[in-house]
Amino acid sequence: MHSFTRRGAIGLGAGAAAAVGLSGCGTLTGSDGSDGVTHGAGSTPGKKPTPTARPIGDGSTSFTGKQPHQPGKPVPLEPGQTPPQFVVFSWDGAGEVGNGLFPRFLDLARKYDAHMTFFLSGLYLLPESKKRLYNPPNNPRGASDIGYLTDEHVKATLTNVRRAWLEGHEIGTHFNGHFCSGYGTVGNWTPQQWKSEIEQAKAFVKEWRTNTGWTDLPALPFDYDKELVGGRTPCLLGQDNLLPTARELGWRYDASSPGGRQVWPGKKKGIWDLPLQQIPFPGRSFEVLSMDYNMLANQSVNSTNAPAYNYPAWRKQSAEAYIAGFQRAYETNRAPFFVGNHFEHWNGGIYMDAVEQAFKHIAREKEKGADVRMVSFRQFVDWMDVQKPEVLAELRTLDVGQEPAGGWKTFLKAPSTPSSTASSNAA
């Protein structure tokens, strides 16, 4: 679980985790429909892989060609050009348990031609009957701080992950057992232990057919060895020791930093560092991290089932926080806006409603002609990778809420030589 301090909203400790007794992805419960997907009105399932799909390994995954529904080839900013406003909505865990949240947001993204990142927990594709296949670092074999899914929910998750990729979304990783406290916490893992965790997370995706024995479900339509280029650690812990392994594996970004600010990102140890961000919290004197659980922690003191009379005000406050974060970036430094969520009905589902309200607000700005790009993390770093280093260095000089002096045409007309600090950020 993500446990945060009340004031600055960036502390990560075990206290709140013990109090709530949940994982950051939640203990998923519920029932699902016969096909594992609940579709919105007028929607249809994602299209099937082409008949020429090439099975990989045991047939759990397959190569189906280039991913559909991708944006055009990114190009560098021109002198005097205003940067696009990038927005990334991301989901930790990405399990579907019949509450309809996974397909609800797939439907929303399809309606507005937007893309997102789903950080899939590997254990969500491993039947509980096979849990001893999981050997977590510094924890007993088969242990997990998130619940294993029922077989029907594993099937539902497979269906929605498959649909997500076919509709252009990214499948990252949220690793496996979500250990956030005690000796076995991910915050204590070594680079080698992270390597083991990643190998297992990938194996559970690549070998779900062997582990389940199911032959009546289609393969996932991607090669996970190539698809997986980034993740978010449980509780936003352990990034320092993860990064050397991530770089060795060829990952392109990591989204695990806590307490980031709304500024243009740089790299850590050769990996794009894309943190959740501090955003305005309406009615409060402090800012809040751009994640549903952090808003919950500051509203209901970690309770996920607070008295319902609070819900309308909390829903409004959460939606306005996301919108305020977006507006601040869009109207000033154009720093990318990153949001993290969980498929959970915490406090009556108000955080899902708030995220949807903010999503629609941002999408409507795009529809009105604003250069707003609702993308996955992978799509965002595709754009970053083609930008000139001196342009990115200049963008990083803008602080939170700082407009470029003289406007964008003057600001990026003749970028200055990167400073030593900016150069190190881009290393």
Side-chain angles (χ1 to χ4, degrees):
M1 131 181 14
H2 304 287
S3 50
F4 305 99
T5 57
R6 298 273 303 155
R7 295 290 300 171
I10 60 174
L12 293 164
V20 181
L22 294 174
S23 72
C25 301
T27 302
L28 296 167
T29 57
S31 60
D32 62 84
S34 59
D35 70 346
V37 179
T38 304
H39 299 293
S43 68
T44 57
K47 67 177 183 179
K48 296 181 179 180
T50 63
T52 56
R54 185 175 71 244
I56 299 171
D58 69 355
S60 296
T61 58
S62 60
F63 176 75
T64 58
K66 185 178 179 181
Q67 185 178 13
H69 305 293
Q70 295 303 294
K73 185 178 179 180
V75 296
L77 286 172
E78 296 291 336
Q81 184 179 355
T82 304
Q85 179 60 59
F86 288 98
V87 180
V88 181
F89 284 87
S90 57
W91 301 89
D92 290 4
E96 168 54 32
V97 297
N99 56 20
L101 291 176
F102 201 149
R104 170 181 169 181
F105 284 92
L106 286 177
D107 290 347
L108 187 68
R110 182 166 55 191
K111 178 179 179 180
Y112 290 103
D113 191 24
H115 296 111
M116 301 181 287
T117 291
F118 297 93
F119 291 124
L120 176 64
S121 293
L123 291 190
Y124 286 169
L125 299 188
L126 181 69
E128 187 168 11
S129 62
K130 297 292 184 70
K131 70 180 184 179
R132 288 189 61 79
L133 291 175
Y134 178 40
N135 188 20
N138 298 341
N139 287 277
R141 182 176 286 274
S144 174
D145 279 2
I146 55 174
Y148 288 85
L149 304 189
T150 67
D151 285 359
E152 287 306 305
H153 296 158
V154 174
K155 291 178 181 179
T157 299
L158 282 165
T159 299
N160 282 276
V161 168
R162 180 173 173 274
R163 176 188 167 189
W165 190 87
L166 288 171
E167 293 184 357
H169 305 288
E170 177 191 9
I171 310 300
T173 187
H174 200 44
F175 306 92
N176 295 307
H178 213 286
F179 302 103
C180 294
S181 61
Y183 169 75
T185 174
V186 300
N188 295 335
W189 290 359
T190 66
Q192 271 304 115
Q193 288 174 325
W194 276 114
K195 186 174 183 179
S196 171
E197 178 77 353
I198 294 166
E199 288 173 348
Q200 293 183 79
K202 291 171 66 175
F204 298 143
V205 175
K206 293 161 57 179
E207 299 169 9
W208 64 262
R209 198 178 294 280
T210 295
N211 294 333
T212 63
W214 300 332
T215 59
D216 58 343
L217 295 178
L220 293 174
F222 52 81
D223 181 345
Y224 204 41
D225 285 328
K226 296 179 180 178
E227 170 69 13
L228 183 56
V229 296
R232 179 177 290 136
T233 62
C235 320
L236 310 181
L237 294 173
Q239 187 193 56
D240 286 346
N241 282 341
L242 167 66
L243 289 180
T245 296
R247 185 170 186 173
E248 178 185 333
L249 294 173
W251 285 17
R252 299 175 60 200
Y253 74 87
D254 179 68
S256 304
S257 296
R261 304 167 69 242
Q262 287 190 275
V263 295
W264 283 88
K267 289 186 175 182
K268 282 185 181 178
K269 300 181 182 179
I271 303 290
W272 286 110
D273 181 32
L274 309 179
L276 294 172
Q277 300 160 326
Q278 298 284 356
I279 58 176
F281 202 32
R284 306 301 290 270
S285 61
F286 57 88
E287 298 197 328
V288 68
L289 205 63
S290 53
M291 172 174 273
D292 50 10
Y293 188 84
N294 196 239
M295 297 187 189
L296 176 151
N298 282 284
Q299 290 173 335
S300 59
V301 196
N302 297 335
S303 171
T304 60
N305 192 26
Y309 62 79
N310 295 296
Y311 295 169
W314 288 350
R315 181 189 294 111
K316 183 174 184 288
Q317 184 183 44
S318 298
E320 289 179 350
Y322 291 129
I323 293 170
F326 165 76
Q327 292 293 151
R328 180 166 67 181
Y330 178 67
E331 294 169 2
T332 61
N333 64 3
R334 289 291 177 98
F337 181 40
F338 305 141
V339 175
N341 306 280
H342 304 82
F343 290 135
E344 287 287 353
H345 276 300
W346 294 327
N347 287 338
I350 62 173
Y351 304 104
M352 297 295 90
D353 295 341
V355 168
E356 180 171 345
Q357 183 179 337
F359 191 104
K360 289 178 176 178
H361 173 91
I362 295 167
R364 283 193 291 265
E365 291 298 307
K366 182 179 70 166
E367 290 180 337
K368 289 189 289 187
D371 191 3
V372 174
R373 304 185 190 182
M374 303 176 75
V375 299
S376 68
F377 279 118
R378 183 174 193 159
Q379 292 165 346
F380 171 65
V381 298
D382 284 345
W383 185 88
M384 291 287 282
D385 281 343
V386 304
Q387 302 309 308
K388 297 175 182 178
E390 61 269 24
V391 169
L392 294 179
E394 193 74 5
L395 289 172
R396 291 188 193 102
T397 66
L398 295 173
D399 206 345
V400 177
Q402 181 182 358
E403 297 181 58
W408 286 106
K409 289 185 178 180
T410 301
F411 184 74
L412 289 182
K413 187 173 182 180
S416 60
T417 302
S419 66
S420 58
T421 300
S423 296
S424 65
N425 282 338

